[in-house]
Amino acid sequence: MNNDYKTNIKVDHGFEIDELRPITTYTESVQNAKCADYHAHPRAQIILCNSGIMKVETENNIWIVNPSQSVWIASNEKHQVYFPNNVEVISAFIDKSKLNKLPKNSFAFDTSGFIKSLLTKIISFSNPDRLTSPQERIFEVLLDELSGIKPCSTFLPTSHNERIKRVTDALMNDYSSKHTIEYYAEKSCVSPRTLSRLFVKELGMSFGDWKMRLKLIEAIKQLGEKRMIKDVAYDLGYENASSFIAIFKKHFGKTPTNYIIE
């Protein structure tokens, strides 16, 4: 998932504390960009892209999402956001005073057309010092919609456990790896059984499931970069495009092509 990020973005809206200005927005078209630093802010954040693919990292998870999805970043959650290639980014920051009924944890979710329409309307307000009564009503509808959002599966759990991190770092540096858990257990100086237990305990899934999730998340990134499906399949270690497409559809419920264009 490495890239040459040439532009650093610094946006201060998330640090504002003002319950009379409960939501502020930010939009920009960027290329090969990332946030200036790993950071956290008191305001919760919704971040999505109208076009392109973005990667969001927190201390415990990585999400790579397409334009049909958003990431909810909880208040004071440390995070970094990457925008490989060309991305039209949309972000909204919600004051802590309005977070009582909203999610307490960060996650990616499927963006409904209604939520996207509400955000588009709120962006048109141009961050006024105070919302008018009609604007407040639209904002309250957005809060109501956000209270019901549910996590989707496009995430990759991470861990600071040294033995786990040694294995996951190795896998992220070799997406096409066909090595078994026995190989990585030997490299980590633990038994395969111990490593298997550590994966379930630290990451909530088996070694095989995590490795599969890694490949699929990387696939989303490469597909978002307009790479051919057969080339993505080869890079990820699949024997042919058909087997890759079948596994992708089984996991996400749609083919790679449909996933990207939605």
Side-chain angles (χ1 to χ4, degrees), residues 23 41-48 54 56 58 63 65 69-75 77 79 92-95 98-111 115 119 139 142-143 145-147 149-152:
I23 187 167
H41 37 66
R43 288 196 170 210
Q45 180 180 6
I46 313 158
I47 186 167
L48 62 152
M54 66 178 180
V56 181
T58 64
W63 297 276
V65 297
Q69 298 169 320
S70 303
V71 177
W72 170 262
I73 301 175
S75 172
E77 175 88 74
H79 61 282
F93 301 85
I94 300 175
D95 191 75
K98 297 293 185 177
L99 299 180
N100 289 342
K101 296 181 180 179
L102 300 187
K104 309 303 180 187
N105 300 314
S106 301
F107 55 82
F109 64 96
D110 294 324
T111 314
I115 285 180
L119 287 171
F139 172 57
L142 176 64
L143 292 181
E145 288 297 303
L146 292 175
S147 68
I149 57 176
K150 303 295 183 183
C152 61

Side-chain angles (χ1 to χ4, degrees), residues 2-181:
N2 295 324
N3 204 330
D4 180 18
Y5 296 100
K6 298 178 179 179
T7 304
N8 289 328
I9 302 171
K10 187 173 179 60
V11 180
D12 294 328
H13 292 317
F15 297 94
E16 181 177 3
I17 299 175
D18 185 354
E19 63 182 71
L20 297 179
R21 200 158 90 123
I23 187 167
T24 50
T25 60
Y26 161 81
T27 62
E28 187 177 3
S29 294
V30 298
Q31 182 178 26
N32 295 336
K34 65 180 180 66
C35 292
D37 50 35
Y38 197 70
H39 63 289
H41 37 66
R43 288 196 170 210
Q45 180 180 6
I46 313 158
I47 186 167
L48 62 152
C49 46
N50 260 342
S51 62
I53 296 291
M54 66 178 180
K55 178 174 74 168
V56 181
E57 292 185 1
T58 64
E59 291 187 329
N60 297 312
N61 286 295
I62 297 171
W63 297 276
I64 293 183
V65 297
N66 69 359
S68 70
Q69 298 169 320
S70 303
V71 177
W72 170 262
I73 301 175
S75 172
N76 293 315
E77 175 88 74
K78 289 185 177 180
H79 61 282
Q80 175 61 287
V81 188
Y82 301 90
F83 308 100
N85 298 309
N86 297 296
V87 180
E88 183 183 347
V89 58
I90 297 173
S91 195
F93 301 85
I94 300 175
D95 191 75
K96 289 188 70 174
S97 62
K98 297 293 185 177
L99 299 180
N100 289 342
K101 296 181 180 179
L102 300 187
K104 309 303 180 187
N105 300 314
S106 301
F107 55 82
F109 64 96
D110 294 324
T111 314
S112 69
F114 189 38
I115 285 180
K116 186 168 281 191
S117 295
L118 289 168
L119 287 171
T120 300
K121 184 64 176 179
I122 291 170
I123 288 166
S124 73
F125 300 163
S126 300
N127 293 332
D129 289 336
R130 297 291 179 268
L131 296 178
T132 64
S133 293
Q135 290 171 346
E136 285 181 354
R137 289 195 290 271
I138 292 171
F139 172 57
E140 291 297 331
V141 174
L142 176 64
L143 292 181
D144 188 56
E145 288 297 303
L146 292 175
S147 68
I149 57 176
K150 303 295 183 183
C152 61
S153 60
T154 53
F155 76 99
L156 191 69
T158 58
S159 172
H160 296 294
N161 181 288
E162 285 301 321
R163 290 175 292 183
I164 290 290
K165 193 173 186 303
R166 192 176 299 126
V167 176
T168 55
D169 284 352
L171 289 168
M172 284 192 279
N173 285 322
D174 184 8
Y175 300 112
S176 63
S177 171
K178 292 182 171 63
H179 292 307
T180 64
I181 191 171

Side-chain angles (χ1 to χ4, degrees), residues 215-241:
K215 288 177 180 285
L216 293 170
I217 295 246
E218 176 62 15
I220 294 170
K221 174 181 175 289
Q222 292 193 26
L223 292 166
E225 294 168 348
K226 310 301 182 185
R227 298 200 65 208
M228 298 290 290
I229 290 175
K230 64 177 182 178
D231 294 333
V232 176
Y234 177 78
D235 280 355
L236 298 181
Y238 291 94
E239 297 296 332
N240 52 64

Side-chain angles (χ1 to χ4, degrees), residues 175-191:
Y175 300 112
S176 63
S177 171
K178 292 182 171 63
H179 292 307
T180 64
I181 191 171
E182 286 77 15
Y183 171 87
Y184 291 104
E186 182 178 351
K187 293 293 183 182
S188 301
C189 301
V190 297
S191 70

